[in-house]
Amino acid sequence: MFSDWLHWHGFPAITMVKRPKSKPSSTGAGYKTLEGNCLQNRTLPSLAFGRKSCSHKWMVQAQEQFIARWGPARRAWAHGQRVTRCIGFDCSPVDSKRTYGFRKHDGRRYRTIFPLIKWGWDRKECVCQIVEAGLPVPVKSACFFCPASKPWEVLWLAWKHPDLFVRAIEIEDRAQPNLQKVEGLWRSTTKTRPGSWRR
Ligand code: SF4
């Protein structure tokens, strides 16, 4: 839908990119998704262990692998220019803090800019702009088994998409025998929720 909207307004359509399938290994036949990665290796997304490599591996690297073969980027690099990468972090303190992690990967090939921060758009302003453009306000963009999900989001998932909720629980159950310091997708129990989604 958004791709069509872009097209009608003179922008290029969205290009969807994916990591290539991993090679078969001693743990299984290979995987094409983070869900497959977790199931095959009986593990959880790295965020559950306090690291952030899942988003880098499955989002940033998938885009960079595509761009590395993309004609306009190759021509720019051949002329000593950098590719401008725009990321839609808003200007809230939480999102602004996330910019450093991306800038440090710029190097000689990329220059990362954050248009929403430059325009001073916080989350509320983004919603206003989306509504004004006549577009539906999207839900949060994340994996359905993301360890950063809030308790109400997990309950919403179980109610609205029970099939996805069951798949998330399967990831956790399969990883369980390998977990030592981590209880589950929510890592550890807090005052307001357990450390595992199954609990
Ligand atoms: S949405 Fe969550 S689980 Fe998915 S890649 Fe990002 S941090 Fe990892």
Side-chain angles (χ1 to χ4, degrees):
M1 178 276 300
F2 188 50
S3 202
D4 288 345
W5 186 92
L6 289 170
H7 183 69
W8 294 330
H9 290 79
F11 289 99
I14 290 172
T15 300
M16 299 224 207
V17 297
K18 275 190 163 191
R19 279 180 70 85
K21 188 180 173 186
S22 74
K23 293 199 174 88
S25 70
S26 57
T27 56
Y31 47 79
K32 289 191 284 192
T33 63
L34 174 53
E35 179 188 20
N37 183 170
C38 292
L39 291 172
Q40 179 172 314
N41 295 335
R42 294 178 178 269
T43 189
L44 300 174
S46 68
L47 196 62
F49 302 101
R51 298 189 294 270
K52 294 188 177 157
S53 58
C54 51
S55 53
H56 193 262
K57 177 175 172 181
W58 292 95
M59 296 183 205
V60 180
Q61 283 183 6
Q63 292 178 32
E64 289 186 351
Q65 283 169 357
F66 171 82
I67 296 167
R69 297 189 304 274
W70 188 50
R74 293 175 70 95
R75 286 194 289 280
W77 291 329
H79 288 90
Q81 296 170 330
R82 292 193 290 174
V83 168
T84 300
R85 172 161 54 187
C86 303
I87 300 183
F89 289 148
D90 65 47
C91 73
S92 65
V94 176
D95 258 19
S96 298
K97 263 200 277 178
R98 297 165 72 193
T99 59
Y100 172 73
F102 281 84
R103 281 208 176 104
K104 75 178 181 195
H105 291 297
D106 274 357
R108 279 183 301 159
R109 291 193 147 195
Y110 291 97
R111 178 179 75 106
T112 305
I113 61 169
F114 305 94
L116 305 183
I117 293 177
K118 194 171 164 200
W119 302 335
W121 289 12
D122 58 10
R123 196 61 59 104
K124 209 168 143 198
E125 180 60 23
C126 291
V127 170
C128 289
Q129 294 285 344
I130 292 167
V131 171
E132 208 168 288
L135 291 163
V137 178
V139 295
K140 187 171 98 177
S141 154
C143 301
F144 61 86
F145 45 82
C146 182
S149 304
K150 305 263 187 321
W152 73 264
E153 289 171 324
V154 176
L155 292 173
W156 178 87
L157 181 74
W159 168 68
K160 191 81 178 169
H161 300 286
D163 51 328
L164 297 182
F165 178 70
V166 168
R167 280 163 59 183
I169 297 298
E170 192 190 345
I171 291 173
E172 197 180 64
D173 284 351
R174 280 176 71 90
Q176 211 51 253
N178 293 330
L179 303 181
Q180 288 169 357
K181 295 183 181 163
V182 166
E183 293 171 43
L185 281 165
W186 271 331
R187 201 171 178 194
S188 54
T189 301
T190 67
K191 281 183 192 155
T192 53
R193 53 148 182 78
S196 104
W197 285 20
R198 173 171 280 289
R199 276 185 59 208

